[in-house]
Amino acid sequence: MRFDIVSANPKILESSLKHGLISRAENKSLISTHIHNLRDFAEGKYKQIDDIPYGGGTGMILKPEPFFRCINSLLEQRKYDEIIYPSPQGRKFNQPLANELSLRENLLLICGHYKGIDERVIKKFVTMEISIGNYVLSCGDIASLVVIDAVARLIPGTLGDGESAITDSFQVETGFDFPQYTRPAVYERLSVPKVLLSGNHKEIDLWRSKKAKTKFRKIKKINKDK
Ligand code: ADE
Protein backbone atom coordinates (compact mmCIF):
# COMPACT_ATOMS: atom_id res chain seq x y z
CA MET A 1 0.00 0.00 0.00
CA ARG A 2 1.25 3.43 -0.94
CA PHE A 3 0.73 6.73 0.89
CA ASP A 4 1.61 10.03 -0.79
CA ILE A 5 1.48 13.09 1.42
CA VAL A 6 1.59 16.66 0.15
CA SER A 7 2.81 18.92 2.91
CA ALA A 8 3.92 22.48 3.59
CA ASN A 9 5.71 21.19 6.66
CA PRO A 10 7.53 17.97 5.68
CA LYS A 11 9.75 17.93 8.78
CA ILE A 12 6.74 17.16 10.99
CA LEU A 13 6.06 14.07 8.89
CA GLU A 14 9.64 12.92 8.32
CA SER A 15 10.49 12.39 11.95
CA SER A 16 7.38 10.31 12.68
CA LEU A 17 7.43 8.27 9.49
CA LYS A 18 11.08 7.33 10.09
CA HIS A 19 10.36 5.55 13.37
CA GLY A 20 8.16 2.91 14.90
CA LEU A 21 5.48 0.86 13.24
CA ILE A 22 5.33 2.81 9.98
CA SER A 23 9.05 2.53 9.25
CA ARG A 24 8.99 -1.17 10.20
CA ALA A 25 6.16 -1.76 7.73
CA GLU A 26 8.12 0.19 5.14
CA ASN A 27 11.26 -1.88 5.74
CA LYS A 28 9.18 -5.02 5.17
CA SER A 29 7.91 -3.48 1.89
CA LEU A 30 4.33 -3.72 3.16
CA ILE A 31 3.76 0.00 2.72
CA SER A 32 5.59 2.94 1.21
CA THR A 33 5.29 6.58 2.21
CA HIS A 34 6.25 9.50 -0.03
CA ILE A 35 6.36 13.07 1.20
CA HIS A 36 6.01 15.88 -1.35
CA ASN A 37 7.14 19.31 -0.23
CA LEU A 38 4.59 21.87 -1.38
CA ARG A 39 7.32 24.50 -1.62
CA ASP A 40 9.04 22.49 -4.37
CA PHE A 41 5.99 23.25 -6.53
CA ALA A 42 5.92 26.97 -5.80
CA GLU A 43 7.23 29.51 -8.28
CA GLY A 44 9.18 32.75 -8.02
CA LYS A 45 12.17 33.89 -6.07
CA TYR A 46 10.46 33.45 -2.71
CA LYS A 47 8.66 30.18 -3.47
CA GLN A 48 5.54 31.63 -1.91
CA ILE A 49 2.97 29.01 -0.90
CA ASP A 50 0.46 31.15 1.00
CA ASP A 51 -1.33 34.45 0.61
CA ILE A 52 -3.90 36.69 2.32
CA PRO A 53 -7.58 35.65 2.07
CA TYR A 54 -9.92 37.33 -0.41
CA GLY A 55 -12.62 39.22 1.45
CA GLY A 56 -10.32 39.97 4.38
CA GLY A 57 -9.70 38.17 7.63
CA THR A 58 -6.74 37.01 9.62
CA GLY A 59 -4.27 34.28 8.75
CA MET A 60 -2.78 33.08 5.51
CA ILE A 61 -4.33 30.66 3.03
CA LEU A 62 -2.31 28.06 1.13
CA LYS A 63 -2.32 29.03 -2.55
CA PRO A 64 -3.89 26.79 -5.18
CA GLU A 65 -1.09 26.70 -7.79
CA PRO A 66 1.52 24.63 -5.87
CA PHE A 67 -1.18 22.07 -4.94
CA PHE A 68 -2.46 21.86 -8.52
CA ARG A 69 1.07 21.36 -9.90
CA CYS A 70 1.99 18.77 -7.31
CA ILE A 71 -1.25 16.77 -7.41
CA ASN A 72 -1.45 16.84 -11.22
CA SER A 73 2.12 15.51 -11.46
CA LEU A 74 1.21 12.69 -9.04
CA LEU A 75 -1.98 11.88 -10.97
CA GLU A 76 0.07 11.56 -14.15
CA GLN A 77 1.99 8.74 -12.47
CA ARG A 78 -0.86 6.75 -10.86
CA LYS A 79 -4.50 6.69 -9.89
CA TYR A 80 -5.49 7.22 -6.27
CA ASP A 81 -8.28 5.33 -4.55
CA GLU A 82 -8.91 8.37 -2.38
CA ILE A 83 -7.53 11.89 -2.21
CA ILE A 84 -7.93 12.79 1.42
CA TYR A 85 -7.99 16.23 2.96
CA PRO A 86 -7.78 16.09 6.78
CA SER A 87 -9.92 18.88 8.20
CA PRO A 88 -12.12 19.48 11.25
CA GLN A 89 -15.14 19.61 8.89
CA GLY A 90 -14.56 16.11 7.54
CA ARG A 91 -16.08 12.67 8.03
CA LYS A 92 -15.31 11.35 11.50
CA PHE A 93 -12.24 9.11 11.50
CA ASN A 94 -12.92 5.90 13.39
CA GLN A 95 -11.99 2.22 13.29
CA PRO A 96 -14.50 1.24 10.56
CA LEU A 97 -13.10 4.00 8.31
CA ALA A 98 -9.52 2.88 9.07
CA ASN A 99 -10.55 -0.69 8.16
CA GLU A 100 -12.12 0.56 4.92
CA LEU A 101 -9.01 2.56 3.93
CA SER A 102 -6.67 -0.35 4.72
CA LEU A 103 -8.21 -2.20 1.74
CA ARG A 104 -7.06 0.49 -0.73
CA GLU A 105 -3.87 0.50 -2.79
CA ASN A 106 -2.95 4.17 -3.19
CA LEU A 107 -3.92 7.01 -0.86
CA LEU A 108 -3.02 10.65 -1.35
CA LEU A 109 -3.24 12.94 1.68
CA ILE A 110 -3.03 16.67 1.29
CA CYS A 111 -2.19 18.62 4.39
CA GLY A 112 -3.54 22.06 5.15
CA HIS A 113 -1.77 24.63 7.23
CA TYR A 114 -2.29 28.07 8.73
CA LYS A 115 -5.97 29.06 8.28
CA GLY A 116 -6.68 26.56 5.52
CA ILE A 117 -6.22 25.98 1.83
CA ASP A 118 -7.78 27.53 -1.24
CA GLU A 119 -11.20 25.90 -1.69
CA ARG A 120 -10.52 25.22 -5.38
CA VAL A 121 -7.98 22.54 -4.40
CA ILE A 122 -10.68 20.71 -2.42
CA LYS A 123 -13.31 21.10 -5.15
CA LYS A 124 -10.97 19.89 -7.89
CA PHE A 125 -9.20 16.94 -6.27
CA VAL A 126 -10.46 15.87 -2.85
CA THR A 127 -12.65 12.75 -2.65
CA MET A 128 -12.82 12.50 1.15
CA GLU A 129 -12.45 15.01 4.00
CA ILE A 130 -11.53 13.36 7.28
CA SER A 131 -11.71 14.80 10.80
CA ILE A 132 -9.79 13.06 13.57
CA GLY A 133 -11.83 14.82 16.25
CA ASN A 134 -13.82 17.86 17.27
CA TYR A 135 -10.89 20.18 17.85
CA VAL A 136 -8.65 22.29 15.64
CA LEU A 137 -5.03 21.29 15.05
CA SER A 138 -2.37 23.66 13.78
CA CYS A 139 -1.87 21.59 10.63
CA GLY A 140 -3.26 18.62 8.76
CA ASP A 141 0.10 16.82 8.92
CA ILE A 142 -0.60 15.63 12.46
CA ALA A 143 -4.02 14.32 11.41
CA SER A 144 -2.45 12.61 8.38
CA LEU A 145 0.00 10.80 10.66
CA VAL A 146 -2.90 9.56 12.79
CA VAL A 147 -4.69 8.24 9.70
CA ILE A 148 -1.56 6.60 8.25
CA ASP A 149 -0.68 4.91 11.57
CA ALA A 150 -4.21 3.58 12.14
CA VAL A 151 -4.43 2.27 8.56
CA ALA A 152 -0.88 0.89 8.21
CA ARG A 153 -1.14 -1.26 11.33
CA LEU A 154 -4.08 -3.11 9.73
CA ILE A 155 -2.02 -4.24 6.74
CA PRO A 156 -1.35 -7.96 7.27
CA GLY A 157 2.23 -8.54 8.43
CA THR A 158 2.73 -5.04 9.85
CA LEU A 159 2.16 -6.09 13.43
CA GLY A 160 4.37 -8.78 14.91
CA ASP A 161 1.41 -10.82 16.06
CA GLY A 162 -1.03 -11.30 13.17
CA GLU A 163 -3.94 -11.61 15.56
CA SER A 164 -3.49 -8.41 17.48
CA ALA A 165 -5.21 -5.95 15.13
CA ILE A 166 -8.40 -8.00 15.31
CA THR A 167 -8.46 -8.01 19.11
CA ASP A 168 -7.66 -4.28 19.42
CA SER A 169 -9.88 -1.94 21.39
CA PHE A 170 -12.62 -0.68 19.08
CA GLN A 171 -12.42 -3.86 16.99
CA VAL A 172 -13.91 -5.91 19.83
CA GLU A 173 -17.59 -5.91 20.66
CA THR A 174 -17.47 -3.72 23.75
CA GLY A 175 -15.15 -1.23 22.13
CA PHE A 176 -12.65 -1.32 24.98
CA ASP A 177 -9.68 -3.34 26.07
CA PHE A 178 -9.41 -5.07 29.41
CA PRO A 179 -6.66 -3.97 31.83
CA GLN A 180 -3.27 -5.52 31.09
CA TYR A 181 -0.40 -6.33 33.48
CA THR A 182 3.13 -7.60 33.13
CA ARG A 183 5.85 -8.65 35.56
CA PRO A 184 6.51 -8.06 38.44
CA ALA A 185 3.40 -9.53 40.12
CA VAL A 186 3.75 -7.00 42.96
CA TYR A 187 5.21 -3.54 42.48
CA GLU A 188 5.25 -0.85 45.14
CA ARG A 189 2.68 -2.94 47.02
CA LEU A 190 0.37 -2.91 43.99
CA SER A 191 -0.62 -6.45 43.03
CA VAL A 192 -1.66 -7.99 39.73
CA PRO A 193 -5.23 -9.41 40.06
CA LYS A 194 -4.99 -13.01 41.32
CA VAL A 195 -7.11 -14.43 38.50
CA LEU A 196 -4.42 -13.52 35.94
CA LEU A 197 -1.87 -15.63 37.83
CA SER A 198 -4.25 -18.59 38.14
CA GLY A 199 -3.61 -20.20 34.76
CA ASN A 200 -7.38 -20.79 34.47
CA HIS A 201 -8.07 -19.43 30.98
CA LYS A 202 -11.83 -19.70 31.22
CA GLU A 203 -11.79 -17.58 34.39
CA ILE A 204 -9.31 -15.15 32.81
CA ASP A 205 -11.49 -14.67 29.70
CA LEU A 206 -14.53 -14.08 31.90
CA TRP A 207 -12.67 -11.54 34.05
CA ARG A 208 -11.34 -9.71 30.99
CA SER A 209 -14.73 -9.51 29.34
CA LYS A 210 -16.31 -8.21 32.56
CA LYS A 211 -13.61 -5.54 32.99
CA ALA A 212 -13.86 -4.42 29.35
CA LYS A 213 -17.65 -4.08 29.62
CA THR A 214 -17.41 -2.09 32.87
CA LYS A 215 -14.90 0.30 31.30
CA PHE A 216 -17.02 0.62 28.16
CA ARG A 217 -20.12 1.58 30.22
CA LYS A 218 -18.13 4.03 32.35
CA ILE A 219 -16.60 5.86 29.37
CA LYS A 220 -19.91 5.88 27.53
CA LYS A 221 -21.51 7.56 30.53
CA ILE A 222 -18.68 10.14 30.81
CA ASN A 223 -19.00 10.99 27.11
CA LYS A 224 -22.78 11.27 27.41
CA ASP A 225 -22.59 13.53 30.47
CA LYS A 226 -20.28 15.97 28.66
N1 ADE B 1 -6.75 19.80 10.69
C1 ADE B 1 -6.94 20.64 11.71
N2 ADE B 1 -7.72 20.10 12.65
C2 ADE B 1 -8.05 18.85 12.21
C3 ADE B 1 -8.85 17.80 12.73
N3 ADE B 1 -9.48 17.89 13.89
N4 ADE B 1 -8.95 16.68 12.01
C4 ADE B 1 -8.34 16.57 10.82
N5 ADE B 1 -7.59 17.54 10.27
C5 ADE B 1 -7.44 18.68 10.95
Side-chain angles (χ1 to χ4, degrees), residues 55-75:
T58 54
M60 300 289 269
I61 308 299
L62 289 172
K63 288 162 68 60
E65 309 94 308
F67 277 114
F68 270 62
R69 279 188 213 108
C70 177
I71 298 169
N72 277 326
S73 86
L74 289 168
L75 286 170

Side-chain angles (χ1 to χ4, degrees), residues 65-136:
E65 309 94 308
F67 277 114
F68 270 62
R69 279 188 213 108
C70 177
I71 298 169
N72 277 326
S73 86
L74 289 168
L75 286 170
E76 275 167 24
Q77 296 163 58
R78 74 193 58 78
K79 274 196 171 152
Y80 289 93
D81 299 297
E82 297 289 354
I83 300 183
I84 296 169
Y85 174 54
S87 94
Q89 288 89 42
R91 175 175 165 187
K92 188 171 135 197
F93 187 61
N94 54 16
Q95 195 62 54
L97 182 51
N99 294 350
E100 193 184 313
L101 293 175
S102 73
L103 303 173
R104 308 283 195 265
E105 277 299 310
N106 297 316
L107 296 181
L108 172 56
L109 295 112
I110 60 175
C111 305
H113 204 21
Y114 311 116
K115 288 290 277 186
I117 71 177
D118 190 289
E119 187 68 19
R120 286 166 288 189
V121 179
I122 301 168
K123 286 257 157 65
K124 171 86 178 169
F125 298 109
V126 170
T127 60
M128 189 185 276
E129 276 189 61
I130 290 182
S131 166
I132 65 158
N134 293 336
Y135 41 78
V136 181

